C-alpha cells in the first residue's frame, strides 16, 4: 500500500502560516496597548507628582510662589490633552484588536476545515490499509491451509 498523501497539504500549511501571522498581529496590538497603558500610568504619576509638589510649595500661612501656581493650569491642560489622545489611541487599538481577534478566529476556522478533511482522508486511507492487510493475511492463511507442507 502506498504512503498516505494529502493532496491539499501545501494549502493546509499555508492556512496554518496565515493563522500564525494573524496571531502575531494580535500579539503586536496587545503589546502596543500595554505600552500605551504604561505611558498613561507614567502620565498619571507625573500629574500626581505635580500636585504633591504644589501641596509642598503652598503652606498654610505662607505666601505662595507665583511660578508654580501660574504654570499649573497649563500643565494640567497639557496632561489632560495628552491623556485624552492616549485614551483615544487605546480605544482605537482595542477596536483593532477586536477585529484582529475575529480575523484570527476566521483563519483558525479555515485551518480547521482543512484539518478535518485531512483527518477524514487519513481515516479512510487507514481503513483501506487495514482492509488490504486483512485480505492479505486471509490469503496467506488460506495458502498455508491448502498447502501445509509448504508452510514449514
Amino acid at each position: 500500500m502506498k504512503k498516505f498523501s494529502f493532496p491539499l497539504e501545501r494549502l493546509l500549511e499555508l492556512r496554518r502560516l496565515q493563522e500564525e501571522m494573524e496571531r502575531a498581529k494580535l500579539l503586536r496590538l496587545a503589546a502596543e496597548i500595554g505600552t500605551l497603558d504604561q505611558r498613561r500610568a507614567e502620565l498619571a504619576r507625573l500629574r500626581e507628582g505635580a500636585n504633591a509638589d504644589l501641596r509642598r510649595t503652598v503652606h498654610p500661612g505662607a505666601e505662595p510662589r507665583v511660578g508654580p501656581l501660574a504654570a499649573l493650569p497649563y500643565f494640567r491642560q497639557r496632561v489632560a490633552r495628552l491623556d485624552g489622545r492616549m485614551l483615544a489611541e487605546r480605544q482605537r487599538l482595542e477596536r483593532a484588536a477586536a477585529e484582529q481577534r475575529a480575523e484570527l478566529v476566521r483563519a483558525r476556522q479555515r485551518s480547521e476545515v482543512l484539518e478535518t478533511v485531512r483527518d477524514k482522508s487519513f481515516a479512510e486511507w487507514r481503513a483501506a490499509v487495514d482492509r488490504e492487510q486483512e485480505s492479505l493475511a486471509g490469503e496467506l492463511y488460506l495458502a498455508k491451509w491448502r498447502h501445509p507442507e509448504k508452510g514449514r
Side-chain angles (χ1 to χ4, degrees), residues 54-146:
L54 180 63
R55 285 190 295 273
R56 283 192 298 271
T57 304
V58 180
H59 314 292
E63 189 172 319
R65 295 195 329 237
V66 177
L69 289 177
L72 188 61
Y74 299 110
F75 176 76
R76 285 182 175 161
Q77 286 175 355
R78 176 75 174 149
V79 166
R81 276 196 309 272
L82 281 173
D83 192 51
R85 286 184 199 143
M86 287 182 192
L87 184 59
E89 177 65 9
R90 188 179 198 294
Q91 290 169 345
R92 185 194 68 77
L93 287 171
E94 282 291 337
R95 285 189 302 274
E99 291 170 7
Q100 190 57 41
R101 277 189 290 277
E103 188 58 39
L104 177 59
V105 167
R106 286 190 292 275
R108 181 67 199 138
Q109 288 170 341
R110 289 189 298 265
S111 293
E112 286 175 349
V113 165
L114 281 176
E115 287 169 356
T116 301
V117 170
R118 183 181 192 278
D119 291 346
K120 185 176 179 184
S121 178
F122 180 77
E124 290 170 356
W125 174 83
R126 184 78 234 162
V129 166
D130 290 347
R131 280 191 306 274
E132 184 176 320
Q133 286 180 347
E134 189 176 313
S135 174
L136 184 58
E139 288 175 19
L140 287 174
Y141 177 76
L142 287 176
K144 275 185 165 183
W145 184 68
R146 287 184 190 157

Side-chain angles (χ1 to χ4, degrees), residues 20-47:
E20 288 305 312
M21 290 172 54
E22 299 302 334
R23 185 173 286 110
K25 289 177 187 177
L26 182 58
L27 289 174
R28 182 186 51 79
L29 285 168
E32 285 183 42
I33 290 171
T35 300
L36 192 58
D37 286 345
Q38 289 173 349
R39 289 177 54 209
R40 287 188 71 214
E42 178 62 27
L43 192 62
R45 283 190 292 276
L46 285 173
R47 181 178 38 239

